[in-house]
Amino acid sequence: MKGIKYLLFGLMFILLGGFILLDPQSSLNGYGELALFFAGIGFGVKGLLEKE
């Protein structure tokens, strides 16, 4: 169950970064979106490697 939580948390970060990236008035200048994508990928990998 803990691995699924990390996978969903990672997916949330990836989707959040995508929505901010599509916003033309975003003030993160591309670096914030990349940080959110990498955080989402990190949480997703952690969820996949989690042993229950």
Side-chain angles (χ1 to χ4, degrees):
M1 188 68 169
K2 199 172 191 183
I4 294 172
K5 289 179 186 178
Y6 280 120
L7 280 171
L8 291 175
F9 199 57
L11 183 64
M12 181 213 42
F13 271 118
I14 291 172
L15 289 175
L16 185 64
F19 284 125
I20 292 174
L21 184 64
L22 293 175
D23 184 21
Q25 299 195 6
S26 173
S27 63
L28 297 177
N29 297 326
Y31 297 112
E33 290 90 352
L34 284 177
L36 286 173
F37 280 129
F38 287 134
I41 290 170
F43 278 116
V45 169
K46 184 177 180 179
L48 286 175
L49 296 177
E50 189 75 30
K51 297 201 180 203
E52 298 188 33

